[in-house]
Amino acid sequence: FFRKKETNTDLKEGESGAISQPLLQEDDLTVTMESNASLISNNGGGGVGLEQDDDESTPQGLISRQRPQIPTLVCILVPMVLFFIGSFLAAVYMPSTNHEEGQPSSPPSPPPSSPPSPNKGRSKNSEPKQILGKLHDDPVNPVAPTLLSIRDGNGGGLVNVRDNYVYRQLKHATFRQPDEQSKTLTSSIKSRAEIWMHSDKKDIGFGDDLVLTWSHDDKNKNQVVSDEDIVALYCPAGERDPKRFRDAATIAQVRATHAHLEKSESRRMNVWSIHSFPIVREESCEFRLYSHSVMDGASFGRNKEGQHHQDLEHHYTFMAATDPISLTSNDIPTGIHISLTGKASEMNIQFATGDSGEPLVEVAKKSDIHTAIIAEGRGLIEVQEDSKVSWTKVKGTSTTYVATDMCQEPATSTAPGFFASPGYLHMVKATNLEANTEYVYRVGLGFGQGIKWSDKYFVFTSSPLPGSGAPPSSGKPALTFLALADQGCQESKYDIVLGADPPTAPGVHPAQSVTQLITSMIDKQTINSIHHIGDLSYADGAAHVWDVYMNMIQEYASRVPVMVGVGNHEYDHTQGGGDGKDPSGALTAFGFQPHWGEGSFNATGGECGVPVSKRFVGPEGGNGVFWYSYDQSLAHTVMLSSEHNMTFGSSQYVWLEKDLAAVNRTITPWLVVEMHRPMYNSRLNWMDLMVSAGMQNEIEDLLYTYHVDLVISGHYHSYFRSCDGLYSHKCANGGPTYITVGTGGAPLDGNTTLLIPNHYTEFFDKEHFGVGRASVFNATSMHWEFVTVVGNVTDEVWLTRDHRGHR
């Protein structure tokens, strides 16, 4: 391994940051085992961004350096040797001290100028600590669920939409259709059916419950519904192509799904309770029941050896259908959320609808309408409609996307279970707000004949002014933000309940528990913003999951601005991104594929950032949601994309250097950088460690030069905190504190996870879901905590800066 020669790059406050001498010279390298940051060669192996031509001068303020050319053989052999050595050492020598849950040691002492520390948490000391997990050691098999979250008829687990044998067989099957000359599909079917099918509702909205039942005529004993028959959902009702279903399941799967939701052991009933009907952007739907048969009479789906019957001819005969079910929610706003614009006088407000129209927001200061408020609770307000309230009405813009806007399958697939229309995505910018003030608002859609408003009013508090703080006598922080990553939702690919604190009840996803935690924290104290650092919904091309996720987070995202970053699940792809399709502006078809990240930037869902960039918006001055920065109270926060080129001279690197150089540390003394993939962690995963080393080699000097205080990441599904002042793998060396908080709901790292031997790990927890909470009290003191889903603080630390802005 190579260590960079130590160079004094200290800058005085207010200097531009231009450094005339290179930070790394090829002749300055010495062999050591302390750092793996320079296993990287010149430009990171391609990707997107502005690369400097030989005849172009270095951009002003850009930290210049020359990197060593490392032989390819060394890059291959050294990692292999170190991987086996590291695996052995981790297994043999890694500390195994357990800390009993609920028995924290004494809290850290706050700095003299800081408010009193809460009497809870664990102490910070010089010895690395870890909480060893109590999770099951069984491997987790991630799946992307179907629209109706169908469960397998054998084990009861979620059916994977990407590998659904029912979908495949229906795609190639032969359907026996009713009379093609009938005016409506269902009328001719139902007139001949000996079996009937019924839904308990004729009209239904998103999130409503629905109960399906079916039976056969006792006089015709041949008409019996079997486990191999099919129930399929069609939207709109009357769809004439039987292969254009929205979801489908065997009767055995339907009964398993019903039994799971109803906590029933019986799977023989002819009933299906659907909890929370999904968001479908159509006017109507219907369910149909088909009988199944194969030419040779073999069992459905699999043969005796468990192999799929790919070569059998499957036949489906129509048996019954429900009456059309009217969908009443197309004009109702969903997924309401807010975000910062970079100005304390503004707030972005976004929502989705199935219908088109002019997006509108009505907003007013809460203090101005207090006489019209009838009831209030958890960020929702009921306002007397006929009251004389002076509302400000603001107009916005709308957008949407289609399957072909994305880069590769499965996101581009229009087959059942994949692309579904997001409807219309609206954005309205509220302006002329007073800083740090409560506002009441509602969203709506304007039509030719009127306006359809949301049925509830919401409340948010505008952002505090940059440089503003709470009075020292109040003992309250000037700024509090929450941080998390790797969340998912109930309908996402992670349908497990392992590792919760305490274990979540069956059917409750950990991401919902984290959502409830965030909401309860907002109820109890002022939270100025929520930072979600990538891997949001885990839709991975199953488009309906985005709608579920957006509705889940609305509980807190409609009250507190949510600032998101992109992770590998939102962006990574290997083809299809060229010719201007990539919304980040990447010029390559495959995004960013550095040689030091080979195998780590592979395609997951092929979305290439389209859904996240359409559903969220970043402050101006950056690159959309991909990288941006903003000031809030005493902190300047930078969101980077670890999925994009950040190598020396790339567009992201140039932007980052200019942004850091422009920070006024007198106004915003605290400098926070966030990115999905961590630069430092303890988990033994060689491919990810190589990525961390690559990022260290590219931007660690930049973070050191500009005295970044805190770096927050996700990606690993665990919690990690480094020692303070970490730079070039040395503690108390003038660098930031590094934190990983990938505990938002995706499955936690299990007990089989090995940790690498290191001296920079201060705290590691792979047992608890939760969020980080940062409380900035003044220019010199920040309090960081890790809060689990039941509200326990398992780690906390005070970060301090001296009067010169150095740590």
Side-chain angles (χ1 to χ4, degrees), residues 326-636:
S326 176
L327 303 184
T328 61
S329 302
N330 253 348
D331 57 355
I332 295 178
T334 61
I336 301 169
H337 60 287
I338 63 177
S339 63
L340 302 173
T341 72
K343 297 179 181 178
S345 61
E346 298 177 344
M347 189 71 72
N348 289 323
I349 302 172
Q350 295 180 267
F351 60 99
T353 60
D355 291 338
S356 62
E358 183 177 46
L360 299 168
V361 166
E362 276 190 338
V363 61
K365 286 175 61 176
K366 185 180 177 183
S367 59
D368 291 345
I369 67 165
H370 67 279
T371 57
I373 296 176
I374 301 174
E376 180 178 2
R378 307 210 84 176
L380 299 176
I381 284 185
E382 186 177 351
V383 177
Q384 185 177 345
E385 289 296 335
D386 58 353
S387 61
K388 295 182 179 180
V389 174
S390 178
W391 296 96
T392 299
K393 188 179 296 183
V394 188
K395 300 178 181 180
T397 58
S398 304
T399 187
T400 189
Y401 61 92
V402 296
T404 54
D405 290 336
M406 292 176 282
C407 289
Q408 68 186 104
E409 290 191 342
T412 57
S413 173
T414 57
F418 295 103
F419 179 76
S421 172
Y424 296 90
L425 307 174
H426 312 290
M427 203 282 286
V428 180
K429 181 184 292 185
T431 59
N432 299 318
L433 307 178
E434 295 181 17
N436 209 21
T437 302
E438 280 191 302
Y439 283 87
V440 178
Y441 74 100
R442 64 175 175 174
V443 302
L445 205 60
F447 302 94
Q449 316 231 334
I451 302 173
K452 175 67 176 180
W453 291 107
S454 55
D455 57 355
K456 293 182 176 64
Y457 289 85
F458 304 87
V459 181
F460 70 80
T461 300
S462 56
S463 182
L465 285 169
S468 62
S473 59
S474 69
K476 296 181 179 180
L479 171 70
T480 301
F481 67 84
L482 306 180
L484 72 155
D486 304 274
Q487 190 172 17
C489 57
Q490 183 180 10
E491 306 301 329
S492 74
K493 63 191 292 185
Y494 295 119
D495 184 59
I496 65 166
V497 293
L498 306 181
D501 179 17
T504 54
V508 178
H509 193 280
Q512 288 184 314
S513 298
V514 172
T515 295
Q516 293 166 6
L517 167 67
I518 295 173
T519 303
S520 66
M521 295 171 76
I522 296 171
D523 290 339
K524 297 173 183 177
Q525 70 174 112
T526 299
I527 304 295
N528 299 106
S529 56
I530 298 169
H531 305 186
H532 199 307
I533 313 165
D535 284 5
L536 282 70
S537 71
Y538 284 87
D540 285 341
H544 59 275
V545 175
W546 273 110
D547 286 322
V548 178
Y549 175 78
M550 299 305 299
N551 266 5
M552 182 188 76
I553 69 170
Q554 177 178 302
E555 191 172 349
Y556 60 78
S558 60
R559 304 169 61 183
V560 176
V562 176
M563 309 303 291
V564 304
V566 296
N568 50 302
H569 286 272
E570 282 81 42
Y571 181 74
D572 287 5
H573 58 286
T574 57
Q575 62 185 33
D579 300 326
K581 179 175 287 190
D582 189 323
S584 69
L587 301 179
T588 62
F590 46 78
F592 184 45
Q593 299 291 335
H595 71 272
W596 41 262
E598 186 174 357
S600 295
F601 291 81
N602 288 341
T604 49
E607 294 179 349
C608 62
V610 172
V612 69
S613 65
K614 294 287 188 177
R615 294 177 181 271
F616 294 91
V617 61
E620 295 180 1
N623 184 12
V625 296
F626 301 100
W627 56 84
Y628 57 84
S629 67
Y630 57 95
D631 292 335
Q632 193 175 31
S633 183
L634 301 178
H636 180 82

Side-chain angles (χ1 to χ4, degrees), residues 186-396:
T186 54
S187 62
S188 61
I189 290 173
K190 298 178 76 66
S191 65
R192 305 186 310 192
E194 302 271 353
I195 294 179
W196 56 265
M197 194 175 195
H198 175 72
S199 64
D200 67 334
K201 295 177 181 176
K202 294 183 178 180
D203 304 295
I204 193 171
F206 303 150
D208 291 347
D209 293 344
L210 182 70
V211 178
L212 295 179
T213 53
W214 55 92
S215 183
H216 63 275
D217 188 348
D218 291 336
K219 297 180 181 179
N220 190 344
K221 301 300 181 182
N222 294 323
Q223 294 276 0
V224 177
V225 178
S226 69
D227 283 352
E228 299 174 349
D229 295 334
I230 290 288
V231 175
L233 171 66
Y234 291 87
C235 307
E239 169 62 57
R240 302 201 66 87
D241 184 353
K243 296 183 180 182
R244 293 180 60 86
F245 54 87
R246 293 300 182 99
D247 204 356
T250 66
I251 292 295
Q253 291 175 334
V254 167
R255 288 169 174 164
T257 305
H258 177 84
H260 174 83
L261 292 175
E262 298 299 323
K263 312 299 184 291
S264 170
E265 296 298 325
S266 174
R267 296 188 179 186
R268 303 309 305 172
M269 69 292 289
N270 291 337
V271 61
W272 183 8
S273 294
I274 299 174
H275 292 193
S276 186
F277 193 81
I279 294 177
V280 178
R281 307 294 185 185
E282 297 287 355
E283 297 295 331
S284 63
C285 293
E286 68 180 1
F287 289 86
R288 302 179 194 171
L289 180 62
Y290 291 93
S291 65
H292 168 263
S293 62
V294 292
M295 293 300 293
D296 63 356
S299 61
F300 178 82
R302 303 172 186 268
N303 58 25
K304 294 181 180 180
E305 288 73 33
Q307 301 297 320
H308 294 303
H309 281 293
Q310 302 286 358
D311 55 345
L312 297 177
E313 185 177 350
H314 297 272
H315 289 257
Y316 293 94
T317 303
F318 182 85
M319 300 171 72
T322 64
D323 289 327
I325 304 168
S326 176
L327 303 184
T328 61
S329 302
N330 253 348
D331 57 355
I332 295 178
T334 61
I336 301 169
H337 60 287
I338 63 177
S339 63
L340 302 173
T341 72
K343 297 179 181 178
S345 61
E346 298 177 344
M347 189 71 72
N348 289 323
I349 302 172
Q350 295 180 267
F351 60 99
T353 60
D355 291 338
S356 62
E358 183 177 46
L360 299 168
V361 166
E362 276 190 338
V363 61
K365 286 175 61 176
K366 185 180 177 183
S367 59
D368 291 345
I369 67 165
H370 67 279
T371 57
I373 296 176
I374 301 174
E376 180 178 2
R378 307 210 84 176
L380 299 176
I381 284 185
E382 186 177 351
V383 177
Q384 185 177 345
E385 289 296 335
D386 58 353
S387 61
K388 295 182 179 180
V389 174
S390 178
W391 296 96
T392 299
K393 188 179 296 183
V394 188
K395 300 178 181 180

Side-chain angles (χ1 to χ4, degrees), residues 11 49 60 92 272 385 397 449 572 641 761 804:
L11 293 179
Q60 182 178 1
V92 176
W272 183 8
E385 289 296 335
T397 58
Q449 316 231 334
D572 287 5
S641 173
T761 298
R804 297 185 308 275

